[in-house]
Amino acid sequence: SGAHFNPAVTLAVVSAGRGNCPPKEGLMYAATQMVAGLVAGLLCAIFHAAGPNRGKSLAPGPRSGYSPVTAGLVEMFFTFVVAYVVLAVATTKALESWRTKHRFHLGLSIASCMTAGGFAIGGISGGALNPAIALGIATESFHWGSLLTYILWQASGALLAGVCFRITHPEEFKGPNEDESKVETTTF
C-alpha cells in the first residue's frame, strides 16, 4: 500500500504530481483512512461510555487561551512539516553515490516530526496532524465543532508541502530520458 496512514500525507504525495500515488488511488486511501478514524472513534466512545472519562470531551479545537486561527495555523504548519518530510525522505530517488540502498532513516525522520509536532502544539490545538485522527477524536466525543476547520487547515498544509517539494526537488521531476538509469525510486 505504500504505508499510507495519514490522509494529509496522501494528499501531499498525490499533489506532488510524480505518479507515486495516482489521484484515484489516493482518494481510495484517504477514504479508507477516514473510515478507519471514524470506526476507531466509535470504539473509543463505547469503551469510555462507562469509564472514568465518560463525559469528558477531547474534541479537536483550540485549547484554552488560543484562538481557532492560531490552532489552525499550527496544525497547518506541522502537517506541512510531516508531509514535506515524507515527500523528501520516503518518495525520493536514491542517489547513485549512496553506499546502501536501505533507507533506515525514513521511520526516524517521520516519527521525529510527529513527535516534535505533538509536543510543540499539543497544548495549542491538540496536535492531531492527521484528518483521520481528528475525525476519530471528534467521533469519540460526539463533538464536531472544529472538525471541518481542522481538516481544511491540515489539507492546506499538505498542499503547501506538495508545492514546496516541487520547488525544492526539481530533479525528481525529470523525464524518463533524463538520466533515469542512475536512480532507483523508493516509495513509502
Side-chain angles (χ1 to χ4, degrees), residues 33-142:
Q33 294 156 356
M34 296 302 279
V35 168
L38 181 72
V39 170
L42 289 171
L43 286 173
C44 285
I46 292 167
F47 294 150
H48 290 168
N53 291 322
R54 84 174 151 248
K56 183 177 180 182
S57 176
L58 301 172
R63 301 304 184 239
S64 180
Y66 295 97
S67 73
V69 171
T70 300
L73 285 171
V74 297
E75 283 286 328
M76 182 179 79
F77 176 74
F78 276 99
T79 301
F80 162 82
V81 169
V82 170
Y84 183 82
V85 167
V86 169
L87 289 170
V89 302
T91 70
T92 53
K93 299 169 186 162
L95 300 175
E96 185 180 278
S97 63
W98 287 7
R99 293 180 186 256
T100 179
K101 291 185 169 111
H102 298 288
R103 317 260 333 262
F104 299 112
H105 64 287
L106 299 179
L108 179 62
S109 301
I110 297 163
S112 295
C113 291
M114 292 298 293
T115 302
F119 278 115
I121 68 171
I124 299 170
S125 67
L129 310 178
N130 181 331
I133 290 175
L135 175 61
I137 293 169
T139 301
E140 189 272 334
S141 63
F142 298 104

